[in-house]
Amino acid sequence: MTAQRFAGQTVIVTGAAHGFGRAIAHAFAWEGANVWACDMNTEGLGETARLAHHDGLTLQTRAVDVGDSTAVAAFVAEAVAGTGRIDVLVNNAGGVRGQVGRPIEDISPADWQAIFAVNVDGAFFFAQAVAPHMKARTSGRIINISSGAGLGISLTGIQAYASAKAAQIGLTRQLAHELGAWGITVNNVAPGFVRSNPTTERQWESYGEEGQKKLLDGIALKRLGTSEDIANAVLFFASEQAGWITGQILSVDGGK
């Protein structure tokens, strides 16, 4: 049996109710980590735990609003109390909060802030909460999950989503320089379009046959990826092999 790369490590994964987050949480659990997974979608989070237990894996799951700094701090404190350490933080929580593309004049301040809260504020609050524990151990890995939208434009047409993902990439680079002196790396995975959750399924269907073909034709490998492709990139950044890599954005998109 292959040695488990993250045996004994404590890993926090946000947005773990489905899609990327579920795949990432399960991948770390398979690799021996003590995984603490959170989401506001308690039904989906329960399914993440059920599937893990079916495979003989153990996950701790909690309902946490990543935009609530007090709730984030409490969750991190509980994980530390339970395991004595935090080795890896994966800021995967994000998305469009049920919004669709609309003209800029139709966007309310609340709509704008809701998307920033989950995509940027959450990443900041979690990094802020784990940093002291990682500094004390002079090691740690923070991996943020952004999007191709943060490097270009959003296929959804949602202004706040493209802006928030770009901001998260900026946060990644800034924290990499701030935390590097303590042996903490901060990197970013920017997925391309993946059919990974109900929102992306609706988006895929909305393109129709012609739009789907156009999307695939624009990908070098001429196919969509999977949530496991994203999880593999995250595990690389969290591994010893990525120990001298920080402040980087890895596009996992089949080639553009």
Side-chain angles (χ1 to χ4, degrees), residues 9-188:
Q9 294 192 28
T10 298
V11 177
I12 289 176
V13 181
T14 72
H18 51 55
F20 299 160
R22 178 179 290 172
I24 292 165
H26 286 175
F28 274 111
W30 275 113
E31 293 276 7
N34 299 310
V35 178
W36 288 68
C38 70
D39 205 295
M40 282 295 287
N41 178 351
T42 55
E43 182 178 351
L45 196 60
E47 181 68 2
T48 296
R50 187 192 69 76
L51 291 170
H53 294 158
H54 180 267
D55 290 335
L57 307 174
T58 301
L59 294 177
Q60 296 288 337
T61 59
R62 300 289 187 275
V64 178
D65 179 356
V66 301
D68 180 342
S69 61
T70 300
V72 168
F75 176 63
V76 170
E78 184 183 4
V80 172
T83 65
R85 57 196 289 172
I86 298 290
D87 298 277
V88 180
L89 165 65
V90 183
N91 282 312
N92 170 71
V96 299
R97 289 285 179 91
Q99 296 184 41
V100 296
R102 291 170 291 157
I104 188 169
E105 58 267 32
D106 294 342
I107 310 302
S108 71
D111 289 339
W112 175 267
Q113 291 298 334
I115 289 178
F116 265 77
V118 68
N119 289 283
V120 185
D121 296 355
F124 174 79
F125 292 148
F126 263 98
Q128 188 177 51
V130 304
H133 304 289
M134 291 183 174
K135 284 181 175 181
R137 295 178 57 82
T138 61
S139 68
R141 300 279 194 270
I142 298 174
I143 301 108
N144 298 321
I145 309 299
S146 60
S147 168
L151 295 167
I153 62 171
S154 173
L155 295 176
T156 66
I158 298 173
Q159 305 87 346
Y161 185 70
S163 302
K165 288 306 190 183
Q168 194 204 67
I169 288 170
L171 178 65
T172 297
R173 292 180 172 130
Q174 192 65 39
L175 290 181
H177 281 267
E178 178 180 341
L179 301 177
W182 287 272
I184 302 166
T185 67
V186 188
N187 289 293
N188 197 295

Side-chain angles (χ1 to χ4, degrees), residues 158-244:
I158 298 173
Q159 305 87 346
Y161 185 70
S163 302
K165 288 306 190 183
Q168 194 204 67
I169 288 170
L171 178 65
T172 297
R173 292 180 172 130
Q174 192 65 39
L175 290 181
H177 281 267
E178 178 180 341
L179 301 177
W182 287 272
I184 302 166
T185 67
V186 188
N187 289 293
N188 197 295
V189 175
F193 182 78
V194 178
R195 296 168 63 185
S196 61
N197 57 51
T199 298
T200 52
E201 282 298 325
R202 288 192 297 270
Q203 188 177 344
W204 175 253
E205 291 300 324
S206 74
Y207 294 150
E209 186 175 345
E210 183 178 342
Q212 292 168 5
K213 182 179 184 302
K214 182 179 179 182
L215 177 62
L216 292 172
D217 285 344
I219 298 173
L221 292 174
K222 308 305 180 189
R223 64 175 178 84
L224 298 180
T226 67
S227 294
E228 286 68 30
D229 290 319
I230 308 309
N232 289 336
V234 171
L235 262 63
F236 167 67
F237 274 142
S239 71
E240 291 183 3
Q241 286 71 30
W244 205 49

